[in-house]
Amino acid sequence: MTEPPTTPPQTLNGLKQRLKAIEAGEAGIRLGKRSRHTLALLIEAPQQAAVSTISELAVQLGVNASTLSRLAQRLGYGGFGQLQAVFRREVTEGQSFYSDQASRLLEASGDTGELARLSRLVRQESANMAGLLKRIDPAAFEQSVTLLATARRVRVHGMRQFHSLALFMAYGLGMLRPDVAPLDAGRQGVADALAQLAPGDVLVVASCFPYTPSVLATAEVAARHGIDVIALTDSESSPLARVARHSFPVPNHSLFYSNSMCAFMLLAQGLLSEVASVLGEAGLAALKHRETMIAELGASL
């Protein structure tokens, strides 16, 4: 059911439908060609629209900030902040993200052959990993490795499928040095787990669109209390990138029905491998100590 013209859309899908109705002359609202184009650009990049200031968006879109304010008002919002709230809800909730991804997967069924879709996924993931290497800031990578190797405590946090990435990183780094764990390893809750950290400790967070609100809040609180945040996310405009000391934008374009994890796992392995190199003999000694424990426990493992 189409929303009445006097009621501004409260969802991204509703905003898309409103733009279609405007272009068809069926919305009771008239927008000029430039305003329609600007609205289309906002809809195509909800993450950018959600996290940028009105001034930043104006520069990115090549318009004046007043143009964005007038656009919001023409659509029935009280101001640009109300229009931006639509994109922010989409970014933090993303209720249709997984079904939208699955729909694209089904639509891309033109390939024939038993392994056609797998072959296409392989090509996409290869492009993601190549893109990752191009987007990494070498200085940020080196400094992050130093923090992971030398900080007194390191915690890793991710939810949903990124929980597996957090477990992997905590396990791998814990093989090389002490006092590393998933943030909520003791299941005592994130607040208590954060309270155990102090300025100079490190929190690695991982999330991408649709961002998990609790992960965003955790990163914000940690940064506010002097904890060094390292973010594995999807773009420079990610909400996590805004609060992290170092952030890494990871390409994850894929036909997979959820977020692609291949490039994220590659980045995690790359960071851990570099930490092992930096720790040198100390890391090797930690691994040998671990092997001794495994051998002594033997069949009881």
Side-chain angles (χ1 to χ4, degrees):
M1 179 176 179
T2 304
E3 293 173 307
T6 55
T7 304
Q10 298 303 308
T11 65
L12 182 60
N13 186 58
L15 203 53
K16 291 178 181 177
Q17 296 305 314
R18 182 60 52 83
L19 177 58
K20 288 182 180 179
I22 291 171
E23 292 175 335
E26 301 172 351
I29 300 172
R30 296 187 64 180
L31 292 178
K33 182 177 180 181
R34 188 179 183 85
S35 293
R36 294 198 305 272
H37 179 64
T38 299
L39 179 56
L41 292 176
L42 291 172
I43 290 172
E44 289 172 4
Q47 296 166 241
Q48 175 179 284
V51 303
S52 301
T53 66
I54 187 171
S55 298
E56 291 170 341
L57 277 174
V59 172
Q60 292 161 3
L61 299 175
V63 299
N64 295 322
S66 58
T67 300
L68 294 175
S69 295
R70 287 195 298 271
L71 172 61
Q73 292 167 359
R74 290 288 296 155
L75 291 169
Y77 299 99
F80 181 74
Q82 291 185 9
L83 172 58
Q84 188 174 44
V86 175
F87 297 104
R88 286 179 172 170
R89 281 193 295 272
E90 179 70 19
V91 165
T92 56
E93 297 171 8
Q95 295 179 356
S96 64
F97 172 78
Y98 302 105
S99 57
D100 286 347
Q101 287 288 98
S103 296
R104 283 191 281 272
L105 177 62
L106 295 175
E107 289 168 2
S109 57
D111 294 336
T112 57
E114 293 179 354
L115 298 179
R117 187 169 286 108
L118 176 60
S119 298
R120 188 169 180 179
L121 283 169
V122 169
R123 293 193 297 271
Q124 289 174 329
E125 297 302 353
S126 297
N128 284 337
M129 288 185 277
L132 169 68
L133 192 57
K134 292 179 180 178
R135 296 172 72 178
I136 286 182
D137 180 347
F141 186 84
E142 181 179 353
Q143 291 166 23
S144 295
V145 166
T146 299
L147 286 171
L148 293 173
T150 62
R152 183 177 58 169
R153 299 187 187 92
V154 178
R155 298 292 182 265
V156 193
H157 186 50
M159 298 291 287
R160 300 173 182 166
Q161 67 192 55
F162 283 99
H163 183 60
S164 62
L165 178 65
L167 292 177
F168 170 75
M169 287 196 71
Y171 175 79
L173 188 59
M175 294 174 70
L176 300 171
R177 50 149 297 168
D179 215 341
V180 179
L183 183 66
D184 54 350
R187 297 185 180 278
Q188 71 271 46
V190 171
D192 286 338
L194 268 183
Q196 297 175 18
L197 302 182
D201 290 340
V202 171
L203 174 65
V204 181
V205 292
S207 186
C208 67
F209 179 83
Y211 307 101
T212 304
S214 62
V215 175
L216 302 184
T218 300
E220 290 171 356
V221 171
R224 197 155 58 237
H225 285 267
I227 298 165
D228 291 321
V229 177
I230 298 173
L232 280 57
T233 186
D234 54 356
S235 72
E236 291 86 353
S237 60
S238 161
L240 286 177
R242 286 179 171 272
V243 300
R245 178 172 177 180
H246 301 299
S247 66
F248 299 96
V250 181
N252 63 337
H253 305 295
S254 172
L255 279 179
F256 185 51
Y257 55 84
S258 187
N259 297 119
S260 169
M261 298 297 293
C262 293
F264 280 99
M265 292 298 291
L266 177 63
L267 175 58
Q269 288 184 211
L271 287 167
L272 295 178
S273 296
E274 200 66 24
V275 170
S277 177
V278 167
L279 289 176
E281 290 299 325
L284 182 60
L287 291 172
K288 289 182 176 179
H289 180 63
R290 191 183 192 91
E291 290 169 343
T292 298
M293 293 296 181
I294 292 173
E296 290 183 9
L297 286 166
S300 64
L301 285 176

